[in-house]
């Protein structure tokens, strides 16, 4: 598959799997029975595609994916980072359906490892420009009114490997610093109100309990929507996602969503921490940097087909992908088969929620011709995803964050899919 071209990729692909051929034969038989076009040797009559289940296993206290899903894992690029403690593990977007990321596959970006935190000893301290500085236990927080919201988290560095030319041939590595969950927590404002905000409160510092004491300044404009979350898709946060508590500021760059959150200091100006000056700032051509470019822009990518999911047969195909915007709802997604000359509207899967992944679909027919597949998202504020060239025109060549340009997948006559640049 395409991503094997990236030579120091972790070799975690599924081992050759005899059950798979049987399963595919079964699917082909189904297609034939449904009257779908016959495809050479693949289409079989059902009686020629026997199915025998394997041995049964006993009850497990915590369920795991089928052993046939061994290849559906987070992956990382060894050359990107000096050590496994400073971690970037990408979500396998090509293997997922719908919009929810299973918890074990949520991407992970941790600057100083994943701390182990005993929830019984955990405290969230709130101080600074407040009437009553307080320390909350996790139980204290859980007694406040809770809300559940579906939102994506995307690292500002998503797709940054491909600023000037495609460098990685896998959707896992172009866009896999993107995940989406149902998050449950309490409103940041409820906690701040309990402490009593003082006049002049305009910024707060959110600090994590990891080795880096990772910290970000959060402006007042984002407080109303922000949550302090303790659960992810129904269960407690995973350690990699910030157990027991993280900040969630919907639609903002991942780095603002401080994990292992244990301290909030309220102030009247930003702190200008390392992570908002030396990092997560956009260096311009004149050597100055734009700070606090916090909102993730409108974006989309086709996850089927893609380099990891080539086309396997002529005839009807399922095209599908993900669109999102930190500004609100996705309004439309257009698909091009010819590198941006002609466009057709994709169907958006309901519900279309603000600052959440939206799944799109567009069935098409393929007869082996070469395609230049693109998706272009538009959000409810009218923002349109830029082409490769437009993105480079409006942003500095020095910039590494916030690449939301249109991705092109070139489908070859043999069905293989490659990441190419099309202006
Ligand atoms: N405490 C702490 N919070 C953190 C980080 C970190 O290293 N330490 N990384 C940030 C970055 S850069 C991103 S993109 C997101 C990633 O969230 P995830 O690991 O849950 O996907 O967490 C953010 N919050
Ligand atoms: Mo990030």
């Amino acid at each position: 598959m395409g991503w094997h071209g990236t030579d120091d990729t972790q070799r975690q692909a599924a081992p050759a799997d005899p059950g798979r051929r049987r399963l595919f034969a079964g699917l082909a038989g189904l297609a034939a029975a449904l009257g779908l076009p016959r495809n050479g040797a693949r289409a079989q009559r059902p009686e020629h595609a026997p199915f025998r289940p394997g041995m049964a296993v006993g009850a497990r206290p915590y369920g795991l994916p089928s052993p046939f899903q061994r290849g559906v894992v987070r992956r990382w690029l060894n050359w990107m980072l000096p050590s496994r403690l400073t971690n970037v593990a990408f979500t396998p977007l090509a293997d997922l359906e719908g919009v929810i990321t299973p918890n074990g596959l949520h991407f992970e970006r941790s600057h100083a490892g994943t701390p182990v935190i005993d929830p019984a000893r955990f405290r969230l301290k709130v101080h600074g420009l407040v009437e009553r500085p307080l320390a909350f236990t996790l139980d204290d927080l859980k007694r406040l009114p809770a809300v559940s919201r579906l939102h994506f988290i995307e690292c500002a560095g998503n797709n940054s490997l491909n600023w000037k030319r495609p460098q990685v041939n896998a959707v896992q590595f172009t866009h896999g610093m993107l995940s989406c969950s149902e998050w449950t927590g309490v409103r940041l404002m409820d906690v701040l109100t309990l402490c009593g905000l003082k006049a002049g409160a305009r910024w707060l510092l959110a600090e994590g309990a990891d080795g880096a004491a990772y910290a970000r300044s959060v402006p007042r404009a984002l407080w109303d929507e922000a949550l302090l979350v303790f659960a992810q898709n129904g269960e407690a946060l995973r350690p990699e996602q910030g157990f027991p508590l993280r900040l969630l500021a919907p639609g903002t760059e991942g780095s603002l969503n401080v994990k292992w959150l244990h301290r909030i200091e309220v102030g009247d100006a930003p702190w200008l921490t390392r992570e908002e000056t030396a990092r997560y700032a956009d260096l311009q051509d004149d050597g100055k940097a734009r700070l606090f470019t916090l909102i993730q822009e409108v974006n989309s990518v086709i996850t089927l087909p893609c380099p990891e999911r080539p086309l396997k047969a002529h005839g009807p195909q399922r095209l599908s992908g993900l669109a999102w915007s930190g500004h609100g709802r996705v309004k439309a997604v257009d698909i091009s088969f010819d590198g941006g000359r002609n466009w057709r509207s994709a169907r958006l899967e309901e519900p279309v929620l603000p600052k959440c992944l939206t799944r799109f679909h567009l069935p098409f027919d393929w007869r082996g011709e070469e395609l230049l597949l693109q998706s272009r998202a538009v959000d409810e504020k009218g923002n349109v995803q830029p082409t490769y060239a437009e993105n480079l025109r409006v942003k500095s060549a020095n910039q590494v964050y916030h690449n939301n340009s249109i991705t092109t997948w070139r489908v070859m006559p043999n069905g293989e899919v490659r990441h190419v640049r099309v202006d």
Side-chain angles (χ1 to χ4, degrees):
M1 284 200 301
W3 52 263
H4 282 300
T6 318
D7 53 28
D8 53 359
T9 294
Q10 270 59 40
R11 303 292 176 149
Q12 294 165 327
D17 161 14
R20 203 180 152 89
R21 200 174 310 149
R22 266 202 320 267
L23 176 70
F24 192 78
L27 287 177
L30 179 67
L34 289 172
L36 295 176
R38 222 184 131 76
N39 171 44
R42 282 204 185 120
Q44 288 185 3
R45 294 167 62 88
E47 60 270 34
H48 296 150
F51 168 70
R52 286 178 212 91
M55 292 285 283
V57 293
R60 274 186 270 224
Y62 195 104
L64 290 171
S66 157
F68 298 97
Q69 295 294 102
R70 259 190 297 261
V72 182
V73 289
R74 293 191 281 229
R75 290 185 174 86
W76 45 89
L77 297 163
N78 286 334
W79 54 264
M80 266 182 78
L81 293 167
S83 98
R84 282 287 304 283
L85 274 182
T86 162
N87 204 0
V88 184
F90 297 79
T91 292
L93 295 176
D95 296 299
L96 302 182
E97 303 290 351
V99 299
I100 297 294
T101 312
N103 288 347
L105 297 175
H106 196 288
F107 85 95
E108 183 191 1
R109 177 73 186 100
S110 299
H111 292 69
T114 302
V116 178
I117 297 175
D118 176 354
R121 298 180 56 192
F122 172 83
R123 298 289 182 277
L124 172 70
K125 282 147 281 175
V126 184
H127 66 119
L129 280 182
V130 291
E131 309 287 350
R132 293 170 295 280
L134 289 172
F136 297 85
T137 65
L138 205 59
D139 286 340
D140 292 337
L141 292 172
K142 287 183 176 175
R143 280 163 51 213
L144 297 174
V147 292
S148 294
R149 301 271 156 75
L150 276 88
H151 290 297
F152 71 81
I153 294 183
E154 183 188 22
C155 178
N158 209 16
N159 204 16
S160 65
L161 295 171
N162 310 296
W163 263 97
K164 286 161 203 153
R165 71 196 66 83
Q167 288 209 82
V168 284
N169 197 41
V171 73
Q172 182 157 15
F173 297 122
T174 58
H175 291 84
M177 284 198 277
L178 169 73
S179 298
C180 185
S181 300
E182 183 198 55
W183 304 99
T184 302
V186 300
R187 291 186 187 85
L188 168 67
M189 274 311 259
D190 285 353
V191 171
L192 293 178
T193 304
L194 280 176
C195 299
L197 286 172
K198 283 191 177 166
R202 293 277 174 276
W203 288 82
L204 62 78
L205 184 76
E207 187 186 72
D210 45 344
Y214 181 99
R216 291 295 309 262
S217 308
V218 183
R220 175 68 187 84
L222 298 175
W223 296 0
D224 289 329
E225 237 186 297
L227 302 177
L228 307 181
V229 301
F230 46 77
Q232 168 187 7
N233 296 326
E235 62 180 4
L237 286 178
R238 289 292 170 92
E240 295 91 332
Q241 268 63 64
F243 180 87
L245 193 73
R246 94 178 291 167
L247 177 69
L248 183 78
T252 65
E253 59 185 19
S255 56
L256 202 70
N257 297 264
V258 174
K259 305 189 278 189
W260 315 292
L261 177 69
H262 77 141
R263 186 169 79 87
I264 292 176
E265 185 177 348
V266 181
D268 58 3
W271 275 255
L272 302 176
T273 68
R274 174 184 185 271
E275 307 298 340
E276 53 206 26
T277 51
R279 299 288 182 276
Y280 303 104
D282 298 331
L283 186 58
Q284 301 298 295
D285 292 335
D286 60 4
K288 292 183 178 168
R290 294 173 64 201
L291 306 185
F292 300 107
T293 48
L294 298 179
I295 307 299
Q296 289 303 102
E297 295 171 79
V298 65
N299 209 340
S300 70
V301 70
I302 295 171
T303 58
L304 173 68
C306 69
E308 300 101 309
R309 287 170 94 183
L311 296 183
K312 289 182 175 161
H314 293 179
Q317 309 292 336
R318 186 159 78 95
L319 180 149
S320 172
L322 296 166
W324 63 101
S325 170
H327 293 287
R329 288 184 172 77
V330 170
K331 198 172 86 187
V333 177
D334 302 316
I335 306 297
S336 178
F337 294 85
D338 55 11
R341 274 191 280 277
N342 298 288
W343 296 93
R344 285 164 60 188
S345 316
R347 177 177 67 81
L348 304 186
E349 187 75 39
E350 297 288 335
V352 178
L353 298 170
K355 306 172 188 182
C356 182
L357 294 188
T358 296
R359 174 67 63 175
F360 61 82
H361 302 280
L362 184 64
F364 70 103
D365 198 69
W366 184 63
R367 297 284 153 196
E369 68 276 23
E370 229 179 272
L371 304 173
L372 289 171
L373 282 181
Q374 299 184 327
S375 65
R376 179 182 66 190
V378 182
D379 70 18
E380 61 181 341
K381 302 279 162 59
N383 300 301
V384 183
Q385 213 185 322
T387 64
Y388 226 110
E390 280 164 6
N391 189 56
L392 289 172
R393 256 200 309 281
V394 296
K395 291 171 193 164
S396 166
N398 291 329
Q399 204 168 318
V400 286
Y401 302 108
H402 302 294
N403 179 7
N404 67 327
S405 62
I406 291 171
T407 291
T408 308
W409 301 136
R410 177 176 175 194
V411 180
M412 313 298 285
N414 66 0
E416 229 176 85
V417 180
R418 294 188 194 155
H419 183 199
V420 296
R421 172 174 169 171
V422 169
D423 293 342

